Structure formats: structure tokens, C-alpha cells
Amino acid sequence: MKIVLSDILKGKKRIALSGHVRPDGDCVGSSMGLYLYLTEQFPEIEVDLYLEKIPASFSIISRTEEIRHTLSEETAYDLFICLDCGDEQRLGPFAPLLRQAAHTVCIDHHVSNEAFADVNYIVPDASSTSELVYNLLDYDTMSLETAEALYMGIAHDTGIFRYSCTSPETMEAAAQLMRKGVDTA
């Protein structure tokens, strides 16, 4: 089931995002891509991103220093969006965010996903969660920084477009992100 971003954001004031433990390129790319887009396009909504420490190589993505690595005492959100994570246990220390949120959404491409959120956008045929996030966003308002994060996530989970999960749709998404000015090198 595809979701409409404006529908899930309606009436929300505080949103938390998180992904799986030991975040890889797709987890970081999809999480940062959505985080950047939400903070740029919906400044009236407070958005926090929680991930374990990310590899230094992923810090080329803009604003990764804003990622929260620990929970504060106040962890209740109107909406929790889980990215690139197949089950609650893979959220690790950030699983309480899922349990305490008023509403939950999961965006993922893993066939093993347990559909554990209130709303689940799970497409096992997609190359990556970053490709799914790309499909949810308004391309015309997407910043270069958002495009860079999503491109990195797609490139990571496709083995730089060599793995069998790379589809024509994946290549079209990558081409559109490149048109935003992504430096693919």
C-alpha cells in the first residue's frame, strides 16, 4: 500500500524517525532524506531523527550532526516513522519510540518485514527504502541535500546499480536525483 505523505502528516506536531541498528547506507540515506525533506518543507512540525552512530563515510550527507543517538526522557511523539527496518527488535534502543507514539508508519523494502506499524508501506520489489522515500516526496520541492541522501541510499543497496534489485524504476529515480545536481562521484 502506497501512502500519501500529506495524509500521514495531517495534524502532527512532533515526529520521530528511526531506522535499524548498525545503520547502513540505505538506512542513513532514507532516514536523512526524509528528515531533510520534512524539516525543509514542513518547518511547523518538530522532527527528530534517532539512529545509532553512523559510519564516518556517511557524514558526507548534509546535517548528519543533527542525528540523535540517545533517547531523552520526553520520547512521546504524534507520529513515529520507521525506515528500512523489518521488525520492532531491529530498532534497538529506539523501539520505545514506536511503542509510545500516537501513530506509527513503517517504510521498508524487506520481504521479511512484519508489518508492525499502524500504516505499512512495504514494497519488497523496490531496490531500497531510499527509492520508496523518493517516491513519496514532491520532486519539484526536493532540495539537493535531500536528493544526495536518497541517491546514496539507493546506490548503497543496489551495489552501485549492479545488484538484481536494480530496476528501470530505480534507474529513473537515480537519474532524477542526478538532475537535482547530485555529484555521483
Side-chain angles (χ1 to χ4, degrees), residues 54-64 145 148-149 152 183 185:
I54 65 170
S57 60
F58 298 152
S59 64
I60 62 170
I61 295 175
S62 178
R63 297 174 49 195
T64 54
E145 292 77 15
E148 289 170 334
M152 187 194 75
D183 178 1

Side-chain angles (χ1 to χ4, degrees), residues 15-17 28 31-32 34-40 45-54 58-59 61-70 77 94 145:
I15 299 173
L17 310 175
V28 174
S31 298
M32 281 304 302
L34 185 56
Y35 174 78
L36 292 165
Y37 185 85
L38 292 175
T39 58
E40 293 162 359
I45 299 175
E46 179 185 339
V47 183
D48 295 321
L49 171 57
Y50 294 87
L51 291 173
E52 290 181 340
K53 296 274 185 194
I54 65 170
F58 298 152
S59 64
I61 295 175
S62 178
R63 297 174 49 195
T64 54
E65 70 280 359
E66 296 174 20
I67 297 171
R68 295 173 180 230
H69 303 294
T70 58
Y77 289 88
F94 307 116
E145 292 77 15

